[in-house]
Amino acid sequence: MSVQHYQASQFKQQASDALADPQLRSNFRGAMDYLQQKRKVAFSDEQELAQLREHAENIRQRCLSKLPQLLEQLEKNCQANGIQVHWAEDASQAQQLIAELIQQKGASKVVKGKSMVTEEIELNQHLENLGIECVESDMGEYIVQLAKETPSHIIMPAIHKNKQQVADLFQEHIKGFDYTLSVDKLIQTGREVLRTKFKQADVGISGVNFAVAETGTLCLVENEGNGRMTTTVPPLHIAVTGIEKVVEFLSDVPPLFSILTRSATGQQITTYFNMISGPRRAPERDGPSEVHLVLLDNGRSQAYADEALRKTLQCIRCGACMNHCPVYTRVGGHAYGTTYPGPIGKIISPHLQGLEQTSDLVTASSLCGACEEVCPVKIPIPSLLQRLRHDAKLPAAKQAASLKGQASAASSLEHNAWRAWAWLSTHPRFYNWVMAVGVKFAKYLPMPMGEWTRCRSKPELAEQTFHQKMKQRAAKQASESLATIKKGAS
């Protein structure tokens, strides 16, 4: 089953297509308004929210400052619990590791709980190419899988679809489906199909929200129960996570969990919170006989090596920045062409794909600051976007040399224009002369403004420079003052 792919390098065209789709825009507008209101109600006490955000940020920064040691501690304690730990440097290694674990068991059927990291490494497509059936067990993920699409939101994958579109999908793909627009009946239909898949599955694959170094515990946050089914019913459980998800202590989890759920869906607590600490032991009757943990780098070490960009790794994947972003709300997730869309995707994706592919994304922001204002761990997204914009344009000779694709959007013409502007700005006499001449003759010259005037009126040029106007005003005021003095004297 081929999946429709979008490319980050095609963001402008994809955004344009999204803006021209009234149904898509309506779906997102309604969903974002709803989620914004839910979060507002969940954090009605502003003082409590400020304290929670400060605490959560401190936890994430402390854990990241010790990341190498904590990963070693996590591996040691997981192994002591019977969890086998594997390391993957990139998506290809992770794909190979997971496929080998499945093939060693002679398995052919896999159920997968919601996991953005497995989306990141395109695991479904890889397993399908090997003849292994991999079914998404999260309802939203299941819907987009039927539609041959990728998730458009990190928390609510099918948020871009309404109930009629889901009903049409079910009618096309589910045998014996009794067409209905009842949301409850649609959900029930999906659950019945997935219940059979859980029973048939040889392997369950999940993500990880928090990996606790102190105890070797894997924490999984969910609402549908599919995470618990995925990690307990099949005999083999494979958990996949980015290396940044590790926390130091078990006591670090409750404050992060509390602010995650309220930021994501406005819930005080999710329906399920799973703590996985090993395979089934005698005389236990439930759970997998084997548990494996795959720790993925895939560009995260690159972000970690830079003190400023390291803040990107603080993210706990709540999606609040997307829900409040004026750009994401209007173009949706698929327009970005990346696994992680929206504001957080714009600062994560350059590390995963390089700036050469994502240079348009870092400029797809008004820098309004709404994302930073709602981020539960206080990631300074606007300032990081400015840093990435700088890196994308930085001339090769001046690179700080850490980010793949750095200076890929550099232009010698643009660079020289800014150098000339910088020189003029520091030489007032020349600046004033150039501006005075420019104002006099610019109206006779063509002014190509490209995309700027496609949706805007062309601005009219002033007849005088700012300095000329101020000088004229000062002369007028001096003249009026002198006239007043003369009048008083007479």
Side-chain angles (χ1 to χ4, degrees), residues 88-92 117 120-121 243 295-302 348 351-353:
E89 185 176 351
D90 54 29
S92 179
V117 174
E120 178 185 326
I121 65 174
I243 56 174
L295 293 166
L296 176 69
D297 187 328
N298 203 31
R300 289 162 173 82
S301 290
Q302 177 182 258
I348 289 177
H351 299 289
L352 306 182
Q353 297 177 231

Side-chain angles (χ1 to χ4, degrees), residues 329-485:
T329 299
R330 286 160 178 78
V331 303
H334 288 150
Y336 293 85
T338 54
T339 302
Y340 307 99
I344 190 62
K346 286 181 247 182
I347 62 173
I348 289 177
S349 301
H351 299 289
L352 306 182
Q353 297 177 231
L355 273 170
E356 188 171 8
Q357 294 294 316
T358 59
S359 59
D360 281 341
L361 298 187
V362 300
T363 60
S365 170
S366 64
L367 300 179
C368 68
C371 50
E372 182 176 4
E373 185 178 339
V374 300
C375 178
V377 289
K378 300 176 69 174
I379 301 174
I381 296 176
S383 62
L384 291 176
L385 283 173
Q386 289 177 306
R387 158 68 189 277
L388 292 170
R389 290 180 183 187
H390 181 263
D391 285 357
K393 297 285 188 179
L394 196 65
K398 295 185 178 181
Q399 284 186 16
S402 63
L403 196 57
K404 180 182 176 184
Q406 201 168 17
S408 57
S411 161
S412 57
L413 177 63
E414 182 181 7
H415 176 61
N416 290 330
W418 282 115
R419 285 185 65 185
W421 175 258
W423 187 88
L424 273 178
S425 299
T426 53
H427 295 77
R429 287 187 180 181
F430 286 100
Y431 177 89
N432 291 333
W433 181 81
V434 169
M435 291 299 107
V437 172
V439 164
K440 184 175 289 188
F441 294 103
K443 59 184 176 183
Y444 301 111
L445 301 175
M447 293 288 288
M449 304 192 74
E451 289 292 302
W452 180 260
T453 56
R454 186 165 66 89
C455 301
R456 304 174 180 85
S457 297
K458 186 175 179 180
E460 292 185 13
L461 294 175
E463 295 183 359
Q464 292 179 302
T465 68
F466 177 77
H467 286 89
Q468 287 173 334
K469 284 187 175 183
M470 292 299 101
K471 189 174 182 180
Q472 188 179 68
R473 180 185 293 182
K476 183 179 178 182
Q477 289 174 344
S479 177
E480 290 174 350
S481 298
L482 182 60
T484 302
I485 292 171

